[in-house]
Amino acid sequence: MAFAIGGAGVGSAQTLLPDPVEGREVKMGSQAGLDAWVKDFRSRALEAGIPAATFDAAMRGVEFNPKVVERDRNQNEFSKTIWDYLDTAVSEDRVALGLQAIARNRNLLERIEADYGVEKEVIAAVWGLESAYGTFRGDLPVLGSLATLAYEGRRGAFFETELIAALRIVAGGHVARFTGSWAGASGHTQFMPSSWEKFAVDFDGDGKKDLWSDDPGDALASTANYLRYWGWVKGQPWGVEVTLPEGFDYDQTTERVVKPVADWQALGVRTATGADLPDHGPGSILLPGGHRGAAFLIWPNFQVIEKYNTADAYVVAIGSLSDRMAGGPAIRSGWPRDLRALTLAERRELQELLGRAGFDPGGVDGRMGPKTVAAVKAFQKARGLVPDGYPSLEVLDRLR
Ligand code: CA
């Protein structure tokens, strides 16, 4: 979690791995190469405090996994639109299974909610997206995945640190069957080993911070602990679906513009049913699918969920799924389903062309970050399009 996203359950909308280091040597991987790397790594691990006996037992027979490397190299290649993502992430099935999971674990979740101040439906929503409520926790050996990625080199230092943290988990006897998804996230809520070090708790008091066994108690409490650490406010919604009035100024639709609810109300913003806005303090307006899709008024809990995954689609999915399990409504607005997601090549082309047209997208990396969105907005304004900042194929075509 916090880094590798979507876990085994849904497939990520975005992954928060650090960028590959420019110009770094990327090895053609092989088992022999990995074995040599492990030999070399051993002294660094021991220096970091891993007992030699633990290291030797855990790393014996660690396998090079070319599929992990392939997955890492292609992770930005495909992306989904938010509506395609939400169709799967907040399907009726996932809502129903979530309600069953809450019913099965009601006592546990209520104790965690009381201890950590995070609503049980929110914890369950993270569980639902990260591992389909514990059903798909991932079956790749975590040490093998991390060793492969550390050895392979693009983000070697990052994964070596994670591997050392993973070895500490092993050394402490916290895990029996250490498997996870491709980038080393594992357990019911897909923690990276470094997140385990910082945030895992022993909720059942058996002396182990065990995020991997069938009993989800430690994992769910650790997730609540994570959200609490980042400032979760109990009782504050992540956001609420809203309607914007005709002629709304789209310069306001960004997380960077924060206003008291009374100001949004005065500007004509209402809930999706046309009611007055509930006041949960200053918030922002977000249009994650452009002006033809749903609009949300979001509060700081939105940014707390972003600590799991910064993709709007992921945060809206967690929020909407938790709302549904708490008896709230589904998202009412439609989405511009005629638009498809841009490919990585198209996202890069969009940035390239924006830059050439004098609108700085903040680099050509295929990531639709705040600078790219601002550049799209500026371009849309200059061409008399609705300046919603949504990087659509239409915008790309206008730039071509
Ligand atoms: Ca425990």
Side-chain angles (χ1 to χ4, degrees):
M1 150 201 102
F3 285 102
I5 308 313
V10 178
S12 61
Q14 179 186 323
T15 299
L16 286 185
L17 297 168
D19 285 324
V21 178
E22 277 305 320
R24 181 148 195 156
E25 184 201 355
V26 175
K27 302 181 187 76
M28 293 303 291
S30 68
Q31 183 64 50
L34 179 67
D35 291 343
W37 181 87
V38 168
K39 249 185 199 168
D40 189 56
F41 167 59
R42 187 175 184 276
S43 60
R44 299 196 292 279
L46 267 49
E47 210 166 287
I50 305 301
T54 300
F55 186 95
D56 294 338
M59 298 301 286
R60 186 180 306 128
V62 155
E63 284 179 14
F64 176 70
N65 188 340
K67 283 195 177 139
V68 167
V69 175
E70 195 181 317
R71 182 76 192 264
D72 182 50
R73 289 182 182 172
N74 292 330
Q75 59 163 320
N76 289 320
E77 196 62 43
F78 303 101
S79 68
K80 275 186 171 180
T81 59
I82 183 170
W83 48 94
D84 284 341
Y85 182 75
L86 290 172
D87 284 350
T88 315
V90 196
S91 64
E92 293 304 320
D93 263 4
R94 201 177 301 265
V95 174
L97 290 170
L99 289 171
Q100 289 169 22
I102 290 174
R104 273 199 311 278
N105 298 279
R106 181 167 299 278
N107 190 281
L108 169 70
L109 284 164
E110 282 176 353
R111 280 189 294 130
I112 294 172
E113 178 172 328
D115 282 9
Y116 292 93
V118 182
E119 288 86 342
K120 60 183 178 303
E121 293 84 4
V122 173
I123 302 165
V126 174
W127 192 20
L129 283 201
E130 296 295 339
S131 71
Y133 312 104
T135 315
F136 296 104
R137 284 171 259 164
D139 52 14
L140 296 175
V142 170
L143 298 178
S145 299
L146 292 175
T148 296
L149 291 166
Y151 145 66
E152 183 261 356
R154 286 208 314 165
R155 286 179 279 256
F158 170 82
F159 284 109
E160 183 168 316
T161 303
E162 292 293 335
L163 179 55
I164 287 173
L167 287 165
R168 287 206 188 95
I169 294 171
V170 174
H174 297 277
V175 60
R177 186 170 175 272
F178 205 5
T179 61
S181 53
W182 67 273
S186 65
H188 286 265
T189 50
Q190 299 287 291
F191 269 41
M192 291 299 284
S194 58
S195 291
W196 177 89
E197 286 199 302
K198 290 191 199 90
F199 301 108
V201 296
D202 174 18
F203 193 67
D204 62 8
D206 69 349
K208 295 175 186 172
K209 298 174 184 175
D210 181 358
L211 314 183
W212 302 274
S213 71
D214 288 341
D215 177 353
D218 284 0
L220 299 182
S222 299
T223 298
N225 188 40
Y226 184 89
L227 295 173
R228 178 175 72 171
Y229 175 86
W230 291 110
W232 187 265
V233 178
K234 193 180 173 189
Q236 180 187 79
W238 63 279
V240 62
E241 191 182 352
V242 295
T243 55
L244 305 179
E246 199 75 15
F248 190 79
D249 173 8
Y250 286 94
D251 278 345
Q252 316 271 320
T253 60
T254 160
E255 281 186 68
R256 290 174 175 189
V257 174
V258 181
K259 289 180 194 292
V261 164
D263 289 12
W264 294 122
Q265 176 82 18
L267 286 168
V269 180
R270 295 293 180 272
T271 71
T273 58
D276 287 346
L277 299 174
D279 194 350
H280 294 281
S284 307
I285 304 286
L286 192 72
L287 287 176
H291 70 284
R292 289 162 59 211
F296 301 94
L297 170 57
I298 59 171
W299 285 286
N301 277 347
F302 188 97
Q303 279 91 28
V304 176
I305 303 171
E306 280 183 333
K307 296 294 182 183
Y308 248 88
N309 182 341
T310 57
D312 289 343
Y314 181 86
V315 181
V316 172
I318 293 286
S320 179
L321 181 57
S322 62
D323 284 352
R324 292 292 307 280
M325 292 192 285
I331 294 168
R332 294 170 69 103
S333 299
W335 297 100
R337 288 183 181 271
D338 54 307
L339 300 178
R340 67 166 172 80
L342 299 186
T343 63
L344 177 61
E346 287 169 341
R347 297 198 300 276
R348 286 199 174 122
E349 186 189 357
L350 179 83
Q351 289 172 319
E352 181 83 49
L353 295 176
L354 280 168
R356 254 190 250 164
F359 305 94
D360 177 19
V364 179
D365 57 5
R367 293 187 187 203
M368 302 290 99
K371 275 200 164 170
T372 301
V373 170
V376 169
K377 273 191 187 187
F379 171 76
Q380 288 169 320
K381 264 192 195 168
R383 296 299 160 88
L385 304 166
V386 179
D388 60 7
Y390 189 72
S392 68
L393 200 55
E394 186 195 4
V395 171
L396 178 58
D397 280 340
R398 290 290 193 111
L399 277 160
R400 277 167 170 163

